[in-house]
Amino acid sequence: MRTLFEKLSGGARRRNRRRAQKPKSVLKLPNLDWKRIGAGVVAIGAVGAVAFGIRIALDQPIETVAVEGRLQRVSPLDVENAVREVSRDKGLVAVDLDAAQRAIRRIGWVDSATVRRAWPRGLRVFVVEQTPVARWGETGLLNVRGELFVNDARHVPPELPELAGPPGSQGLVTQRYLAAQGRLLEAGMRLSAVRLDPRGAWEFDLDNGVELRLGRRQVDERFDRFVVAAARVVSQRATEISYVDLRYTNGFAIGWRTVGRRSTG
């Protein structure tokens, strides 16, 4: 009869024999053409080295900045200085063209700018100036998008109409002006001023001295009524008319320059 120790020892020996009989796992490399892979790696490295060499060869110092565009208010020298400030210590390849364009757009009266590389050692810049379509107050200038691009213009073209409204309403007032101006030109008249007061009421001044009072509601419908029904009378008798009040449901009133005279239509 075996003792407990002998039983335990025999069990341990049997487990060890089973472990010894198990095959060991061996890490096998995939069956690849390592010579061809190595050649490919060398070729890629050679191509990268050639590309780097070409980049170094092309990244020449910037010597010329050619400024193009129909410029009247923008100085080509200011444009060139803005570009050179951005491209300082950078070659033709390394220069950030987007940063150069942003720098140019910060110059007063610049609407848009495009910068291109001109090989081997130059940059070509095309600048579009702002086109003012109206004044904002006395000295501000608005473009066709209703953007106030100049706050204190020294020389304001006298032919520009004057627009006015609460702060932040430049775009809305410009849009209203452009829409109305197109229709008035067809009728032989032009706008000299457009006003939006803090209450939301609209007033138009025609270049013949007649004021249109449109109010706050149904502004488009009221302006249509003027063009269809009152424009002809106003164009024929502008010197006698002070204003046209369109703040009526189905008609309008004409205020004559003669004191006390007023008619409705």
Side-chain angles (χ1 to χ4, degrees), residues 64-72 74-84 104 107 110 112-116 118 122-129:
T64 61
V65 177
V67 181
E68 303 175 5
R70 301 178 61 180
L71 305 181
Q72 297 179 343
V74 178
S75 166
L77 182 59
D78 290 343
V79 175
E80 182 177 347
N81 289 339
V83 173
R84 291 195 179 279
I104 297 170
I107 300 173
V110 171
S112 65
T114 304
V115 182
R116 296 285 184 268
L123 291 174
R124 185 178 178 183
V125 183
F126 186 79
V127 177
V128 177
E129 279 192 354

Side-chain angles (χ1 to χ4, degrees), residues 112-232:
S112 65
T114 304
V115 182
R116 296 285 184 268
R117 294 180 177 87
W119 307 100
R121 299 187 177 187
L123 291 174
R124 185 178 178 183
V125 183
F126 186 79
V127 177
V128 177
E129 279 192 354
Q130 294 276 7
T131 301
V133 298
R135 290 177 287 163
W136 186 253
E138 293 294 328
T139 59
L141 293 176
L142 297 166
N143 61 22
V144 70
R145 298 182 296 276
E147 297 167 343
L148 183 64
F149 65 92
V150 173
N151 280 312
D152 53 353
R154 296 181 180 179
H155 305 287
V156 178
E159 69 275 9
L160 292 179
E162 182 177 345
L163 310 186
S169 65
Q170 294 93 329
L172 176 62
V173 178
T174 302
Q175 183 180 6
R176 177 78 68 184
Y177 158 72
L178 292 173
Q181 181 77 314
R183 299 193 63 187
L184 288 172
L185 289 174
E186 296 175 358
M189 292 177 284
R190 299 176 64 92
L191 284 170
S192 61
V194 174
R195 292 180 297 277
L196 173 64
D197 71 18
R199 299 179 297 107
W202 292 88
E203 291 182 350
F204 294 172
D205 289 347
L206 303 180
D207 62 350
N208 56 19
V210 177
E211 178 186 290
L212 307 183
R213 300 173 182 176
L214 296 156
R216 293 179 293 173
R217 304 180 184 86
Q218 299 178 323
V219 177
D220 292 333
E221 292 83 351
R222 292 171 178 177
F223 181 72
D224 289 343
R225 190 187 311 146
F226 169 78
V227 173
V228 172
R232 181 176 297 180

Side-chain angles (χ1 to χ4, degrees), residues 34-47:
W34 294 103
K35 290 183 179 180
R36 183 172 296 179
I37 293 175
V41 171
V42 172
I44 293 173
V47 171

